[in-house]
mmCIF file of all heavy atoms in Angstrom:
data_model
loop_
_atom_site.group_PDB
_atom_site.id
_atom_site.type_symbol
_atom_site.label_atom_id
_atom_site.label_comp_id
_atom_site.label_asym_id
_atom_site.label_seq_id
_atom_site.Cartn_x
_atom_site.Cartn_y
_atom_site.Cartn_z
ATOM 1 N N ALA A 111 211.540 -73.247 280.321
ATOM 2 C CA ALA A 111 212.968 -73.145 279.948
ATOM 3 C C ALA A 111 213.206 -73.858 278.630
ATOM 4 O O ALA A 111 212.491 -74.755 278.239
ATOM 5 C CB ALA A 111 213.830 -73.755 281.048
ATOM 6 N N GLU A 112 214.257 -73.360 277.974
ATOM 7 C CA GLU A 112 214.745 -73.969 276.753
ATOM 8 C C GLU A 112 216.274 -74.075 276.887
ATOM 9 O O GLU A 112 216.918 -73.050 277.220
ATOM 10 C CB GLU A 112 214.355 -73.162 275.551
ATOM 11 C CG GLU A 112 214.803 -73.853 274.249
ATOM 12 C CD GLU A 112 214.258 -73.101 273.036
ATOM 13 O OE1 GLU A 112 213.071 -73.269 272.715
ATOM 14 O OE2 GLU A 112 215.065 -72.365 272.425
ATOM 15 N N ILE A 113 216.828 -75.252 276.675
ATOM 16 C CA ILE A 113 218.237 -75.465 276.775
ATOM 17 C C ILE A 113 218.730 -76.125 275.487
ATOM 18 O O ILE A 113 218.156 -77.081 275.038
ATOM 19 C CB ILE A 113 218.613 -76.314 277.989
ATOM 20 C CG1 ILE A 113 218.200 -75.625 279.285
ATOM 21 C CG2 ILE A 113 220.087 -76.641 277.973
ATOM 22 C CD1 ILE A 113 218.510 -76.364 280.549
ATOM 23 N N VAL A 114 219.811 -75.577 274.963
ATOM 24 C CA VAL A 114 220.461 -76.220 273.834
ATOM 25 C C VAL A 114 221.657 -76.992 274.384
ATOM 26 O O VAL A 114 222.502 -76.451 275.143
ATOM 27 C CB VAL A 114 220.940 -75.168 272.804
ATOM 28 C CG1 VAL A 114 221.743 -75.838 271.677
ATOM 29 C CG2 VAL A 114 219.788 -74.400 272.233
ATOM 30 N N TYR A 115 221.720 -78.262 274.032
ATOM 31 C CA TYR A 115 222.787 -79.194 274.451
ATOM 32 C C TYR A 115 223.543 -79.606 273.203
ATOM 33 O O TYR A 115 222.997 -79.548 272.102
ATOM 34 C CB TYR A 115 222.237 -80.427 275.102
ATOM 35 C CG TYR A 115 221.470 -80.212 276.373
ATOM 36 C CD1 TYR A 115 220.054 -80.106 276.331
ATOM 37 C CD2 TYR A 115 222.097 -80.227 277.602
ATOM 38 C CE1 TYR A 115 219.350 -79.944 277.494
ATOM 39 C CE2 TYR A 115 221.368 -80.073 278.780
ATOM 40 C CZ TYR A 115 220.012 -79.943 278.709
ATOM 41 O OH TYR A 115 219.243 -79.790 279.870
ATOM 42 N N VAL A 116 224.749 -80.091 273.393
ATOM 43 C CA VAL A 116 225.472 -80.784 272.325
ATOM 44 C C VAL A 116 225.860 -82.173 272.812
ATOM 45 O O VAL A 116 226.085 -82.364 274.013
ATOM 46 C CB VAL A 116 226.747 -80.032 271.850
ATOM 47 C CG1 VAL A 116 226.381 -78.732 271.151
ATOM 48 C CG2 VAL A 116 227.757 -79.808 272.964
ATOM 49 N N SER A 117 225.932 -83.066 271.870
ATOM 50 C CA SER A 117 226.543 -84.361 272.146
ATOM 51 C C SER A 117 228.049 -84.095 272.276
ATOM 52 O O SER A 117 228.623 -83.443 271.383
ATOM 53 C CB SER A 117 226.271 -85.302 270.960
ATOM 54 O OG SER A 117 226.921 -86.517 271.120
ATOM 55 N N PHE A 118 228.630 -84.501 273.361
ATOM 56 C CA PHE A 118 229.987 -84.035 273.676
ATOM 57 C C PHE A 118 230.934 -85.220 273.931
ATOM 58 O O PHE A 118 230.588 -86.196 274.604
ATOM 59 C CB PHE A 118 229.945 -83.179 274.947
ATOM 60 C CG PHE A 118 231.210 -82.518 275.306
ATOM 61 C CD1 PHE A 118 231.662 -81.380 274.611
ATOM 62 C CD2 PHE A 118 232.010 -83.031 276.371
ATOM 63 C CE1 PHE A 118 232.860 -80.776 274.933
ATOM 64 C CE2 PHE A 118 233.182 -82.427 276.681
ATOM 65 C CZ PHE A 118 233.610 -81.309 275.970
ATOM 66 N N SER A 119 232.131 -85.101 273.384
ATOM 67 C CA SER A 119 233.183 -86.058 273.639
ATOM 68 C C SER A 119 234.200 -85.424 274.566
ATOM 69 O O SER A 119 234.922 -84.489 274.191
ATOM 70 C CB SER A 119 233.886 -86.469 272.318
ATOM 71 O OG SER A 119 235.087 -87.157 272.615
ATOM 72 N N ALA A 120 234.277 -85.926 275.789
ATOM 73 C CA ALA A 120 235.234 -85.373 276.769
ATOM 74 C C ALA A 120 236.677 -85.673 276.318
ATOM 75 O O ALA A 120 237.555 -84.825 276.463
ATOM 76 C CB ALA A 120 234.963 -85.947 278.162
ATOM 77 N N GLY A 121 236.869 -86.835 275.700
ATOM 78 C CA GLY A 121 238.190 -87.197 275.190
ATOM 79 C C GLY A 121 238.696 -86.265 274.133
ATOM 80 O O GLY A 121 239.915 -85.910 274.100
ATOM 81 N N GLU A 122 237.787 -85.814 273.260
ATOM 82 C CA GLU A 122 238.167 -84.894 272.177
ATOM 83 C C GLU A 122 237.987 -83.423 272.593
ATOM 84 O O GLU A 122 238.478 -82.531 271.904
ATOM 85 C CB GLU A 122 237.328 -85.184 270.940
ATOM 86 C CG GLU A 122 237.562 -86.573 270.365
ATOM 87 C CD GLU A 122 236.672 -86.853 269.153
ATOM 88 O OE1 GLU A 122 236.589 -85.993 268.269
ATOM 89 O OE2 GLU A 122 236.076 -87.959 269.132
ATOM 90 N N GLY A 123 237.225 -83.195 273.655
ATOM 91 C CA GLY A 123 236.981 -81.858 274.112
ATOM 92 C C GLY A 123 236.145 -81.025 273.163
ATOM 93 O O GLY A 123 236.329 -79.820 273.053
ATOM 94 N N ARG A 124 235.204 -81.689 272.466
ATOM 95 C CA ARG A 124 234.407 -80.971 271.474
ATOM 96 C C ARG A 124 233.090 -81.674 271.225
ATOM 97 O O ARG A 124 232.874 -82.821 271.656
ATOM 98 C CB ARG A 124 235.153 -80.819 270.178
ATOM 99 C CG ARG A 124 235.398 -82.139 269.476
ATOM 100 C CD ARG A 124 236.113 -81.959 268.121
ATOM 101 N NE ARG A 124 236.250 -83.225 267.442
ATOM 102 C CZ ARG A 124 235.348 -83.789 266.660
ATOM 103 N NH1 ARG A 124 234.203 -83.179 266.483
ATOM 104 N NH2 ARG A 124 235.602 -84.961 266.083
ATOM 105 N N ALA A 125 232.195 -80.948 270.537
ATOM 106 C CA ALA A 125 230.903 -81.504 270.151
ATOM 107 C C ALA A 125 231.140 -82.565 269.094
ATOM 108 O O ALA A 125 232.019 -82.436 268.231
ATOM 109 C CB ALA A 125 229.987 -80.395 269.630
ATOM 110 N N VAL A 126 230.306 -83.612 269.131
ATOM 111 C CA VAL A 126 230.371 -84.686 268.141
ATOM 112 C C VAL A 126 228.948 -85.001 267.710
ATOM 113 O O VAL A 126 227.956 -84.645 268.373
ATOM 114 C CB VAL A 126 231.059 -85.944 268.722
ATOM 115 C CG1 VAL A 126 232.540 -85.695 269.038
ATOM 116 C CG2 VAL A 126 230.306 -86.477 269.952
ATOM 117 N N PRO A 127 228.785 -85.652 266.553
ATOM 118 C CA PRO A 127 227.408 -86.014 266.128
ATOM 119 C C PRO A 127 226.650 -86.844 267.158
ATOM 120 O O PRO A 127 227.225 -87.655 267.854
ATOM 121 C CB PRO A 127 227.643 -86.772 264.835
ATOM 122 C CG PRO A 127 228.949 -86.277 264.307
ATOM 123 C CD PRO A 127 229.774 -86.017 265.558
ATOM 124 N N ILE A 128 225.370 -86.627 267.246
ATOM 125 C CA ILE A 128 224.516 -87.434 268.114
ATOM 126 C C ILE A 128 224.517 -88.833 267.541
ATOM 127 O O ILE A 128 224.235 -89.037 266.351
ATOM 128 C CB ILE A 128 223.082 -86.899 268.118
ATOM 129 C CG1 ILE A 128 223.038 -85.465 268.708
ATOM 130 C CG2 ILE A 128 222.125 -87.815 268.928
ATOM 131 C CD1 ILE A 128 221.715 -84.741 268.521
ATOM 132 N N PRO A 129 224.832 -89.836 268.365
ATOM 133 C CA PRO A 129 224.872 -91.204 267.854
ATOM 134 C C PRO A 129 223.501 -91.631 267.286
ATOM 135 O O PRO A 129 222.436 -91.235 267.839
ATOM 136 C CB PRO A 129 225.224 -92.052 269.085
ATOM 137 C CG PRO A 129 225.930 -91.129 270.025
ATOM 138 C CD PRO A 129 225.269 -89.775 269.764
ATOM 139 N N GLY A 130 223.489 -92.425 266.227
ATOM 140 C CA GLY A 130 222.251 -92.821 265.575
ATOM 141 C C GLY A 130 221.325 -93.517 266.541
ATOM 142 O O GLY A 130 220.112 -93.327 266.505
ATOM 143 N N TRP A 131 221.850 -94.390 267.408
ATOM 144 C CA TRP A 131 221.010 -95.154 268.350
ATOM 145 C C TRP A 131 220.320 -94.225 269.339
ATOM 146 O O TRP A 131 219.193 -94.468 269.781
ATOM 147 C CB TRP A 131 221.786 -96.246 269.036
ATOM 148 C CG TRP A 131 222.929 -95.794 269.902
ATOM 149 C CD1 TRP A 131 224.207 -95.499 269.463
ATOM 150 C CD2 TRP A 131 222.919 -95.538 271.321
ATOM 151 N NE1 TRP A 131 224.971 -95.084 270.571
ATOM 152 C CE2 TRP A 131 224.212 -95.104 271.690
ATOM 153 C CE3 TRP A 131 221.922 -95.632 272.263
ATOM 154 C CZ2 TRP A 131 224.522 -94.781 273.000
ATOM 155 C CZ3 TRP A 131 222.244 -95.315 273.581
ATOM 156 C CH2 TRP A 131 223.531 -94.891 273.931
ATOM 157 N N VAL A 132 220.983 -93.129 269.724
ATOM 158 C CA VAL A 132 220.406 -92.125 270.617
ATOM 159 C C VAL A 132 219.279 -91.369 269.906
ATOM 160 O O VAL A 132 218.168 -91.194 270.384
ATOM 161 C CB VAL A 132 221.445 -91.155 271.165
ATOM 162 C CG1 VAL A 132 220.784 -89.996 271.935
ATOM 163 C CG2 VAL A 132 222.451 -91.894 272.025
ATOM 164 N N ARG A 133 219.579 -90.929 268.672
ATOM 165 C CA ARG A 133 218.615 -90.206 267.843
ATOM 166 C C ARG A 133 217.352 -91.046 267.675
ATOM 167 O O ARG A 133 216.248 -90.562 267.801
ATOM 168 C CB ARG A 133 219.250 -89.897 266.517
ATOM 169 C CG ARG A 133 218.410 -89.134 265.527
ATOM 170 C CD ARG A 133 219.111 -88.878 264.219
ATOM 171 N NE ARG A 133 220.331 -88.133 264.441
ATOM 172 C CZ ARG A 133 220.376 -86.810 264.585
ATOM 173 N NH1 ARG A 133 219.272 -86.103 264.559
ATOM 174 N NH2 ARG A 133 221.527 -86.197 264.767
ATOM 175 N N GLU A 134 217.514 -92.350 267.398
ATOM 176 C CA GLU A 134 216.387 -93.225 267.170
ATOM 177 C C GLU A 134 215.481 -93.312 268.412
ATOM 178 O O GLU A 134 214.272 -93.276 268.329
ATOM 179 C CB GLU A 134 216.848 -94.620 266.736
ATOM 180 C CG GLU A 134 217.408 -94.627 265.339
ATOM 181 C CD GLU A 134 218.065 -95.978 265.016
ATOM 182 O OE1 GLU A 134 217.918 -96.981 265.786
ATOM 183 O OE2 GLU A 134 218.750 -96.026 263.950
#
Side-chain angles (χ1 to χ4, degrees):
E112 184 174 282
I113 297 181
V114 176
Y115 298 94
V116 292
S117 174
F118 186 77
S119 168
E122 297 178 47
R124 65 178 184 85
V126 295
I128 298 168
W131 62 275
V132 172
R133 181 180 301 279
E134 289 171 11

